[in-house]
Amino acid sequence: MGHHCCSKQKVRRGLWSPEEDEKLIRHITTHGHGCWSSVPKLAGLQRCGKSCRLRWINYLRPDLRRGSFSEQEERTIIDVHRILGNRWAQIAKHLPGRTDNEVKNFWNSCIKKKLIAQGLDPNTHNLLKNKSNNTSTKKTNNIYSYHHDSTSTFTIDNNSTNKEVISIPPSFPHIDNIITSSTYNYTPIFVPNIEYQNPTFSWSEQRNYQSTVIAPQSQTNALDSMLDFASSGSLMESATNNVSSSYIYENIMWHGTGLHEPTTLNPVNIGQEEEMQVVQLQGDQQFPVTQTKCCDDQEDVYKVNDHDQTVENTFDDSSNFDFEFMDSALVPCELYANVNSMDQLSWDC
DNA sequence: AAGGCCCGCAACCGCCACACC
DNA sequence: CGGTGTGGCGGTTGCGGGCCT
């Protein structure tokens, strides 16, 4: 087996010795790699060209950044992965000095587990759904996870037989204003100086019910309300949720955080429409968005009322996503870090 | 101390896209 | 236009070190 370039040769396999590394470095720094298939012969190595290339790119390159990933890098990986999926090479481009292999390994060994522990599907970044107890009503399929900052998480499975409480915040700020609409303030995280030649509208994600839950002081115990919800499957939410998401609109990637105002949190209300306002902060235009959540396991349909036009998009995972644009639109983590992270759900006092 | 197990990471494998002939 | 070689990428494997019993 093996690659075409090394099928005829007797090649070494396995870990590289320091001597082999030295030969490869010496050859490439003096001659460049040129055609990789000729590198082994020219460098005096009994390796296949492909192996040489991999060793250089992933390990020997002088511009590599070694060591553990910073929190900022981790955040960047999660955020970009949310949009691009397992496109490790593309993700690595946003992390200077990191290789696709490194990012992939870090994802598989670390981030993946963290997301699962947070109740998130590492593939979709959506809330994990409990498929094991698929009974007649939809509500038994849903797990709602509530997060507050990064220090604690508690998960409520609305089967009510599985309530795991890891920690509960000791107190909650008071909320005075009770309004019924949801307002999302979107800020562009990348504003290219281009004309809108090819308007796109792509949600990278929507996550309705993963949010910070802030109970009013009048509510003696937030946990009680959560457990009410868990047991009944329905609860008039006496809380204000921070919600964040991002999407692409008119070739601009927008990141939004906002308040999902008190509403009915009810897993059986799937199919009902939920209105939200998208407010463009740089400019005067507003884009009202109607978001319709369809049944489980079906596509979500989003209607965008853009000015006087209505654009309708149907999404199946990220299949309609403008990958090419994303590659150019996403910025390195140093610049990216000054916007609120999509997952950063902090107490809003 | 030794054996088993787990896990991170380097390396490999297989596939695809593209260039060239 | 098809065959071949090469680069690139994502998925997977397996080595080896650390930890536990």
Side-chain angles (χ1 to χ4, degrees):
Chain A
M1 298 288 264
H3 206 236
H4 316 293
C5 65
C6 52
S7 56
K8 300 167 193 166
Q9 307 164 14
K10 186 182 178 184
V11 294
R12 258 176 61 84
R13 292 185 177 195
L15 293 179
W16 281 63
S17 68
E19 291 76 23
E20 288 178 306
D21 282 347
E22 196 185 336
K23 283 183 180 177
L24 186 59
I25 291 170
R26 200 185 313 131
H27 173 76
I28 292 180
T29 50
T30 53
H31 302 101
H33 63 74
C35 175
W36 281 108
S37 59
S38 62
V39 165
K41 191 179 177 183
L42 296 172
L45 290 162
Q46 289 191 319
R47 294 276 181 173
C48 86
K50 193 169 184 175
S51 179
C52 292
R53 177 185 161 270
L54 216 61
R55 183 65 180 170
W56 176 257
I57 288 174
N58 287 338
Y59 202 79
L60 299 176
R61 248 168 53 198
D63 58 334
L64 286 181
R65 178 179 179 177
R66 312 297 302 178
S68 54
F69 282 80
S70 67
E71 277 187 33
Q72 198 174 80
E73 287 177 309
E74 180 178 332
R75 175 60 50 199
T76 301
I77 293 170
I78 293 171
D79 288 347
V80 181
H81 182 277
R82 189 200 318 282
I83 297 161
L84 297 180
N86 294 357
R87 305 177 87 224
W88 306 117
Q90 298 300 313
I91 295 170
K93 283 179 184 172
H94 303 285
L95 299 159
R98 301 293 188 183
T99 68
D100 56 344
N101 209 33
E102 209 174 358
V103 171
K104 177 173 56 183
N105 284 333
F106 183 55
W107 176 270
N108 286 327
S109 62
C110 185
I111 298 179
K112 210 170 171 178
K113 292 170 189 169
K114 279 189 186 176
L115 291 179
I116 291 170
Q118 291 175 5
L120 296 173
D121 184 336
N123 296 318
T124 64
H125 295 254
N126 291 328
L127 293 172
L128 282 167
K129 292 180 179 180
N130 181 8
K131 298 286 184 185
S132 61
N133 193 8
N134 190 11
T135 55
S136 58
T137 56
K138 280 186 170 51
K139 65 179 182 180
T140 56
N141 292 335
N142 292 284
I143 295 175
Y144 296 87
S145 297
Y146 295 86
H147 300 265
H148 79 94
D149 62 49
S150 59
T151 59
S152 70
T153 296
F154 60 98
T155 301
I156 294 176
D157 178 347
N158 64 352
N159 283 327
S160 79
T161 55
N162 178 21
K163 302 187 193 73
E164 182 185 2
V165 179
I166 299 173
S167 79
I168 288 293
S171 63
F172 301 92
H174 180 61
I175 301 296
D176 286 316
N177 299 325
I178 303 298
I179 57 176
T180 54
S181 65
S182 301
T183 302
Y184 294 67
N185 295 316
Y186 280 87
T187 47
I189 66 170
F190 177 78
V191 185
N193 186 18
I194 56 171
E195 294 181 9
Y196 298 150
Q197 304 164 5
N198 181 25
T200 60
F201 185 90
S202 302
W203 288 94
S204 66
E205 190 197 9
Q206 63 95 7
R207 47 171 72 190
N208 292 336
Y209 301 125
Q210 181 184 346
S211 52
T212 301
V213 177
I214 305 172
Q217 286 178 337
S218 57
Q219 181 107 14
T220 54
N221 190 336
L223 176 59
D224 286 345
S225 59
M226 289 302 153
L227 297 183
D228 283 347
F229 171 50
S231 58
S232 67
S234 176
L235 169 73
M236 180 58 77
E237 196 180 17
S238 56
T240 300
N241 290 345
N242 283 332
V243 179
S244 67
S245 64
S246 62
Y247 70 95
I248 286 186
Y249 185 71
E250 288 192 335
N251 280 355
I252 298 177
M253 181 173 181
W254 299 80
H255 172 72
T257 57
L259 298 179
H260 180 78
E261 297 294 347
T263 182
T264 301
L265 248 188
N266 184 349
V268 237
N269 72 351
I270 288 170
Q272 293 177 3
E273 289 193 354
E274 182 183 345
E275 297 276 346
M276 65 178 182
Q277 291 286 103
V278 179
V279 182
Q280 183 178 0
L281 296 184
Q282 291 196 357
D284 298 319
Q285 299 154 306
Q286 294 192 353
F287 304 115
V289 175
T290 302
Q291 174 182 313
T292 306
K293 174 71 177 171
C294 293
C295 301
D296 278 357
D297 303 327
Q298 291 187 10
E299 295 168 341
D300 293 347
V301 177
Y302 300 97
K303 293 176 182 173
V304 184
N305 190 358
D306 177 10
H307 309 284
D308 296 327
Q309 293 182 324
T310 295
V311 183
E312 187 168 322
N313 275 315
T314 301
F315 293 93
D316 180 10
D317 293 330
S318 57
S319 57
N320 287 351
F321 206 79
D322 186 347
F323 289 116
E324 290 303 318
F325 169 69
M326 277 310 305
D327 189 39
S328 63
L330 287 169
V331 294
C333 59
E334 286 82 1
L335 299 172
Y336 191 59
N338 63 7
V339 278
N340 290 332
S341 166
M342 301 172 201
D343 279 339
Q344 187 183 337
L345 302 167
S346 57
W347 290 103
D348 188 10
C349 302

